[in-house]
Amino acid sequence: MFRAPARLAWLDALRGPAALAVTMHHAGWTFVPELWAEVDRRIDLGTWGVFVFFLVSGYIIPASLERRGDVRAFWTGRAFRLLPLLVSACCLVLLLALAGVLPLEPQLAERPLPVVALGNLTMLQELLNLPAVISVTWTLSYEMAFYLISVALFQVRQAGRSAEIAVVLALVAVGLGLLVPQTMIGGRDDVAAVLLPVAVVAAVAVTALGHGRVRTAAAVAGGLLGLGLVILGSRAGTWQGVIILATMFAGTAVYRAEQGAVPRRTAAVAVAVVLVCGLFARDEPSWAPAIALAYGAFGLAFALRRRAFPRWLAWLGVISFSVYLLHPILLHVIPDPVLYFLALIPLSAMTYRLIEAPAQRLGKRLIAGGAEPR
């Protein structure tokens, strides 16, 4: 079983509870909706969980990219980290739907299947107004946009400006959120829903395989596409969508401060600005406490990062992607709450062992075998 290095144990210790918070949020609304409504009025646990994930991604993704120093290796690693389980889970959903076990999202039948498949496999469906095969994958659209922007900044040697970017994005989120509150990529424009992800795939491919100015141009184009999709296509509104990006760059600013690349005070100011701007991104009483507690949990774990964390907690973080992707499916398959929670962790451990871990090992071998000369 893979164990995270000690320096990353605090990140896995965050991922595990974050994934469980999302599962509890959906399970609560499924099994005990009246009780959960009272909880959700006070704090949105689902929002808490996904914002913890966004902060963790912001911290670790640029670190991973810069540690490798190779955008081809980065995109290869991301593909083998996410796509095998994502494709497997989507196929499982479709098989269960054909067997009559699981109801599909009604909107899936309203758009052409190839268009929906392209949007979901590129993880951009949330920003293209396309239905998701698995509801929780909306967060992956923002992760993908962040990857595109991070690669662009790395390629033009501006990755160190994370704190400034976080502040600018937070302020832009407020301004655009007030001026453009609703998504501009709407309706059922199948042409745009095909051309935009194809453009993103082309940008990623050329960035990974190209060289010199061609690679740089492709990376910049991908970054602009990612930013534009978030600004114009965030289904929850521009303010919330851009705040998600700002949150990830706030996580990056913390990483920069830890490495001594920016003053700690600068990173702290950036985090504070993003947090304050994010508190008002949604007009719901449970939103602000969830955001504040997500930042607080990340800050506490960061402060304790040099201490030992329970191995089971770090292990839960290792399998957290499986927990996150599989729990909506299991909610339909197992209608009993006790059996649901008893089955979720073993099933997630199995999919990690049989799908995620082998795919990650294969990705690492491909990276090692195809490393570019330095």
Side-chain angles (χ1 to χ4, degrees):
M1 180 68 69
F2 169 82
R3 291 186 178 88
R7 68 185 183 85
L8 299 181
W10 71 278
L11 294 174
D12 283 328
L14 278 171
R15 287 189 182 108
L20 285 182
V22 177
T23 68
M24 289 177 63
H25 175 78
H26 293 133
W29 280 113
T30 300
F31 297 124
V32 286
E34 293 182 0
L35 173 62
W36 199 255
E38 295 301 315
V39 175
D40 205 54
R41 282 172 49 196
R42 293 163 175 80
I43 180 171
D44 186 335
L45 275 184
T47 295
W48 179 86
V50 297
F51 267 80
V52 168
F53 275 125
F54 290 141
L55 285 162
V56 169
S57 290
Y59 180 93
I60 196 61
I61 291 300
S64 173
L65 173 59
E66 291 157 23
R67 184 178 67 250
R68 292 186 173 116
D70 177 2
V71 292
R72 182 187 303 174
F74 171 77
W75 281 121
T76 301
R78 286 292 87 195
F80 281 87
R81 172 70 179 90
L82 300 175
L83 287 178
L85 183 63
L86 177 62
V87 172
S88 300
C90 287
C91 289
L92 177 61
V93 166
L94 297 177
L95 288 173
L96 290 174
L98 288 173
V101 176
L102 187 149
L104 282 177
E105 169 65 42
Q107 291 182 343
L108 286 171
E110 298 174 2
R111 305 293 293 273
L113 181 59
V115 176
V116 173
L118 178 63
N120 279 265
L121 292 179
T122 55
M123 299 180 291
L124 293 170
Q125 75 286 339
E126 176 69 14
L127 305 177
L128 297 169
N129 195 39
L130 289 170
V133 177
I134 303 174
S135 60
V136 295
T137 56
W138 68 268
T139 60
L140 298 182
S141 295
Y142 294 98
E143 296 274 359
M144 184 64 178
F146 179 65
Y147 301 161
L148 290 165
I149 297 169
S150 295
V151 168
L153 291 170
F154 172 81
Q155 196 62 31
V156 297
R157 304 177 191 273
Q158 297 298 315
R161 298 182 178 274
S162 307
E164 298 99 310
I165 292 169
V167 171
V168 169
L169 285 173
L171 298 176
V172 166
V174 177
L176 288 181
L178 295 173
L179 293 173
V180 190
Q182 300 299 324
T183 176
M184 296 180 67
I185 302 177
R188 298 180 182 178
D189 188 347
D190 293 334
V191 174
V194 169
L195 292 180
L196 288 169
V198 166
V200 168
V201 171
V204 170
V206 176
T207 301
L209 301 176
H211 298 278
R213 293 181 179 178
V214 172
R215 166 176 281 183
T216 300
V220 170
L224 292 174
L225 277 168
L227 179 60
L229 283 170
V230 171
I231 291 174
L232 300 177
S234 295
R235 210 161 353 204
T238 304
W239 191 337
Q240 185 174 322
V242 180
I243 276 296
I244 289 173
L245 275 185
T247 293
M248 287 191 270
F249 277 104
T252 308
V254 173
Y255 167 73
R256 302 283 178 219
E258 183 189 24
Q259 299 299 307
V262 300
R264 294 193 174 190
R265 182 177 296 179
T266 301
V269 169
V271 170
V273 170
V274 176
L275 173 57
V276 170
C277 292
L279 292 176
F280 306 98
R282 186 190 294 177
D283 187 19
E284 293 179 7
S286 60
W287 167 267
I291 300 300
L293 288 174
Y295 275 71
F298 182 81
L300 178 62
F302 178 77
L304 299 175
R305 67 192 181 282
R306 303 192 194 285
R307 300 197 178 191
F309 287 85
R311 296 180 70 177
W312 66 266
L313 190 59
W315 174 79
L316 186 61
V318 170
I319 67 168
S320 60
F321 188 47
S322 280
V323 173
Y324 185 76
L325 271 192
L326 297 180
H327 83 269
I329 305 172
L330 210 59
L331 277 174
H332 292 285
V333 176
I334 302 178
D336 181 271
V338 175
L339 292 178
Y340 163 76
F341 281 108
L342 287 176
L344 178 60
I345 301 303
L347 177 63
S348 300
M350 182 180 72
T351 55
Y352 173 80
R353 186 178 184 86
L354 297 180
I355 299 174
E356 288 192 75
Q360 290 176 42
R361 288 195 295 267
L362 176 58
K364 290 176 181 177
R365 287 199 295 271
L366 291 174
I367 291 170
E372 293 184 343
R374 300 271 180 145

